[in-house]
Amino acid sequence: MPVELRLIPCLADNYAVLLRDPVTEATAVVDVPEVAPVLAALERENWTLTHILVTHHHTDHIAGVEALKARYGATVIGPKAERDTIPGLDFAVVDGDPVAVGNLVGRVLETPGHTKGHIVFLFEGERLLFSGDTLFVMGCGRPFECDPPVLWNSLLRLRALPDDIAVYCGHEYTVSNGRFAVHVDPDNAASREALTQAEALRAEDKPTLPTSIGVEKASNPFLRADDAELAAKLGLPDADPAAVFTELRELKSRFRG
């Protein structure tokens, strides 16, 4: 039976995702920005939460962890490198560790950059990636706790995944990201098309998730810092890709589009 997913808008622009194995009825939530929307979704579906998967320690991803754990007795799984900053952590995981939600077995990928200990959850059998704040639709997180090249190397890990992997990220930043992508690379047809689609979806208050690795490889400038044409457009011909990425990330932080 196919995996069951529910995308849950939270706060101003966050997402949580429910992941359920219909055979065992094991149910996980990936990140908990706030309690009420997640609890409402669980009660609406009549699902019992068994696992809480945490990508990183920022408050807008863990604020509801303790309350949901107390209500359901759910097992909390998160990055070992951030175990002292994630409440109620039961299992501290590292790169390559398996994560089982019933019969759904994923694995942890360490993707430092946005935070030092950031992880993502890859469920290869289900063709799913929960990327937290490492990879967004047409964007990436800010490198708050690491130098930008660290985040670039993490994005390269994700870029190497199969094109058909669906990506669920932690925020609805797509329109802003798309406008930036078109700004820095106006000739990229994939970025222009993705932005048009995103604007239409948001006009109807619909989410722009999921994306896919293949779509991001074509439309996301942060995955193309090693593209010579893009580097030239930024005035950085022959520059190291990490330097191009650093410039892209700095430009995005200043972008008001």
Side-chain angles (χ1 to χ4, degrees):
M1 297 176 67
V3 60
E4 296 178 286
L5 293 173
R6 299 294 185 270
L7 183 64
I8 307 169
C10 298
L11 302 175
D13 53 31
N14 280 76
Y15 286 117
V17 185
L18 291 177
L19 170 77
R20 185 175 185 265
D21 172 19
V23 177
T24 66
E25 300 186 351
T27 303
V29 62
V30 182
D31 291 333
V32 191
E34 59 178 331
V35 173
V38 177
L39 184 59
L42 288 164
E43 293 182 343
R44 183 170 59 249
E45 301 291 346
N46 196 27
W47 292 352
T48 299
L49 191 69
T50 57
H51 298 78
I52 300 172
L53 310 183
V54 178
T55 60
H56 65 292
H57 68 83
H58 283 166
T59 301
D60 64 332
H61 290 256
I62 65 169
V65 168
E66 287 183 293
L68 286 182
K69 179 178 181 178
R71 184 180 183 96
Y72 291 101
T75 299
V76 181
I77 300 170
K80 183 176 182 180
E82 299 182 2
R83 60 186 170 189
D84 295 332
T85 54
I86 297 173
L89 192 64
D90 296 299
F91 291 100
V93 292
V94 298
D95 197 70
D97 279 351
V99 174
V101 180
N103 293 328
L104 310 175
V105 181
R107 63 185 171 96
V108 172
L109 299 179
E110 291 179 348
T111 57
H114 181 65
T115 64
K116 289 182 179 180
H118 197 295
I119 61 174
V120 301
F121 297 94
L122 175 64
F123 288 80
E124 290 174 284
E126 289 67 42
R127 317 310 285 167
L128 292 171
L129 174 71
F130 299 99
S131 63
D133 285 4
T134 295
L135 175 65
F136 296 135
V137 186
M138 288 189 284
C140 69
R142 294 192 187 202
F144 285 122
E145 298 179 10
C146 298
D147 292 332
V150 176
L151 180 56
W152 166 240
N153 285 328
S154 292
L155 290 170
L156 285 177
R157 291 196 75 186
L158 301 186
R159 190 180 74 174
L161 297 173
D163 286 356
D164 67 339
I165 296 288
V167 180
Y168 287 85
C169 59
H171 288 273
E172 182 58 71
Y173 292 160
T174 305
V175 170
S176 174
N177 289 342
R179 289 172 180 168
F180 174 75
V182 170
H183 172 72
V184 295
D185 194 4
D187 300 322
N188 187 291
S191 297
R192 295 199 308 271
E193 180 181 354
L195 173 58
T196 298
Q197 292 175 351
E199 289 176 330
L201 287 167
R202 295 308 296 156
E204 298 180 5
D205 200 29
K206 295 179 180 178
T208 60
L209 274 59
T211 182
S212 72
I213 294 296
V215 167
E216 293 309 302
K217 284 165 61 176
S219 63
N220 190 330
F222 294 99
L223 295 187
R224 292 185 291 110
D226 52 1
D227 183 307
E229 290 186 8
L230 180 56
K233 290 175 182 177
L234 296 173
L236 296 170
D238 304 318
D240 182 85
V244 176
F245 176 81
T246 298
E247 176 67 8
L248 278 170
R249 190 51 265 185
E250 291 176 354
L251 287 171
K252 178 61 172 70
S253 295
R254 300 195 300 267
F255 182 70
R256 298 293 180 267

